[in-house]
Amino acid sequence: MSNLAESATAEITDVSSLTFIAEGAANIIYKISDHQHSVYLLRLRKKLPFQPSTRDVYSFNRDHILPLFAPDMVASMQLVKVDGAVLQQLNKGLAVLEREGIRDQKRHGTVLDAGESYGILVENMTAESVRSDLPMKFSGREEIMGSSGVLSYAVREDRGKNLEVAVLEFKPKWLTQSKDAPANWKYCRTCALRRYRAKDASEYAFCPLDLVSGSRKRVEKSVRALLPNQLDIKSGTMLTVERLRRILTDFIINTEVFKTLAHIQDNMDKYGVMDASGSEESTNFLTAMTVRDCTAFVRIIYKELDEDKTSDIKEYYADGRSTHMEVDGYYFAVSCRLADLDIKDGSGTKRSYWQSIENNLNVGGWYTSDDALIAPCR
């Protein structure tokens, strides 16, 4: 199947098949339990002012985002019709989640747009989504301080046979320096903003420039920041923190995903957010801002095979969308997909907001001043 289906060929009509799992500022994500759509998550749009419609988001991805990437870099998406009654029932469910204290308080009061006719099915990259006949032994999800990242894992086991999956979810952010940063900058745009907001300040904080530096030492530093120091996984599993660090470091150094993101950011925003001359083609600029806020899902799979299949391990993983790596004599399949590539609001209000951030970073010296906690990015 292509990354973007050309039209909505399916419809969500059964609200009982949907389970709330997460939400952001503009969308809410539901898990789908019915067999037809179980390989996807359903993303539905909130009712907010100045937000693009679901069809606009879908069209923007098809026409402006997908052509910029290799097919295996972007999570598959499909437009799907959603019955209005389903949206109304889900809004009632949100009110229940608020009363039960499950929903984040800062999201209270926002609801799905009941006038919307479509949702988007997004490839399910969670650790639990990898299909297997083996029963689930345990799973977990850990947020990583300082990186805005999440590591989820799932272990299936039966009669000595294992399937282990770990997924690192994080936002790569600005992989190139802001065009508005001063020439004598010490900190990248992301780290400068972190300092300005005084959020999760730490010498181990994740710096986006490290990902595309080509330096093993710098990539290792970022990987260390992106992963927890330990996992609540029983001993004997293959996905130890140390092994995950080695796998992720090698993968990030060799993958083209983050290099491609950096190239798009640099090429699509040639003049910076402070440019008021209209020189920048608006679609290009909004594309740059879109990919600066996407989410990367790096999935690592270990599968223990029967002895007579060991020599065919690469054929077993030959889905055409994974990198095969050997660590400590064990084979792992690693893949990365990008998601949350929604068109950004092109209104003057949003651009003014971005400009105010740049102005604050420059005037306050957040790009150039010294910091005892955060090492310079340069």
Side-chain angles (χ1 to χ4, degrees), residues 94-322:
L94 292 176
V96 173
L97 294 176
E98 291 178 9
R99 290 195 299 270
E100 295 178 348
I102 297 173
R103 196 180 185 199
D104 191 330
Q105 192 166 4
K106 68 181 180 181
R107 308 296 186 192
H108 284 197
T110 58
V111 297
L112 297 170
D113 187 349
E116 176 66 76
S117 302
Y118 297 93
I120 293 180
L121 297 174
V122 183
E123 181 180 357
N124 189 347
M125 286 294 290
T126 62
E128 294 88 349
S129 68
V130 177
R131 290 185 175 182
S132 173
D133 293 332
L134 297 175
M136 183 73 71
K137 195 73 173 179
F138 56 87
S139 62
R141 179 179 173 90
E142 299 186 24
E143 295 187 5
I144 299 104
M145 294 299 296
S147 70
S148 299
V150 175
L151 182 73
S152 59
Y153 51 86
V155 176
R156 297 175 181 271
E157 181 181 321
D158 187 38
R159 299 177 183 178
K161 295 302 177 185
N162 285 18
L163 173 68
E164 302 179 21
V165 184
V167 177
L168 176 64
E169 172 187 346
F170 71 103
K171 288 183 177 291
K173 290 296 186 180
W174 293 51
L175 293 165
T176 60
Q177 179 60 296
S178 167
K179 300 292 172 60
D180 300 299
N184 62 333
W185 62 270
K186 296 179 182 177
Y187 294 92
C188 73
R189 201 272 190 179
T190 301
C191 290
L193 183 61
R194 182 187 294 123
R195 296 178 65 217
Y196 169 66
R197 291 175 172 171
K199 180 181 179 181
D200 300 329
S202 167
E203 60 180 322
Y204 299 112
F206 157 58
C207 174
L209 299 190
D210 289 342
L211 289 181
V212 290
S213 65
S215 162
R216 175 169 288 274
K217 183 177 180 180
R218 291 182 65 180
V219 173
E220 285 176 342
K221 175 174 174 271
S222 277
V223 168
R224 189 170 292 273
L226 285 167
L227 289 176
N229 291 325
Q230 60 183 19
L231 289 176
D232 187 22
I233 300 180
K234 70 174 185 177
S235 60
T237 56
M238 296 297 106
L239 296 177
T240 63
V241 171
E242 182 56 38
R243 203 166 273 149
L244 286 174
R245 285 174 179 162
R246 290 162 61 189
I247 292 170
L248 282 168
T249 297
D250 285 344
F251 178 78
I252 289 171
I253 287 174
N254 291 291
T255 185
E256 294 296 316
V257 173
F258 303 110
K259 298 170 190 173
T260 301
L261 275 175
H263 176 75
I264 294 169
Q265 293 178 13
D266 197 46
N267 263 21
M268 294 292 183
D269 178 16
K270 295 183 180 297
Y271 303 99
V273 301
M274 300 301 291
D275 177 57
S277 66
S279 303
E280 191 77 73
E281 205 282 319
S282 63
T283 300
N284 286 351
F285 174 72
L286 292 177
T287 298
M289 297 307 290
T290 293
V291 300
R292 285 167 174 156
D293 197 38
C294 70
T295 301
F297 293 84
V298 184
R299 185 162 65 186
I300 302 168
I301 301 175
Y302 167 76
K303 168 71 172 171
E304 184 178 2
L305 301 178
D306 296 330
E307 289 184 8
D308 61 344
K309 293 183 180 179
T310 302
S311 61
D312 299 325
I313 183 73
K314 291 189 177 182
E315 284 72 16
Y316 180 87
Y317 284 128
D319 58 2
R321 303 183 73 192
S322 298

Side-chain angles (χ1 to χ4, degrees), residues 1-4 40 74-78 121-123 321:
M1 189 187 114
S2 63
N3 293 78
L4 290 176
Y40 295 100
V74 180
S76 297
M77 294 174 61
Q78 181 179 336
L121 297 174
V122 183
E123 181 180 357
R321 303 183 73 192

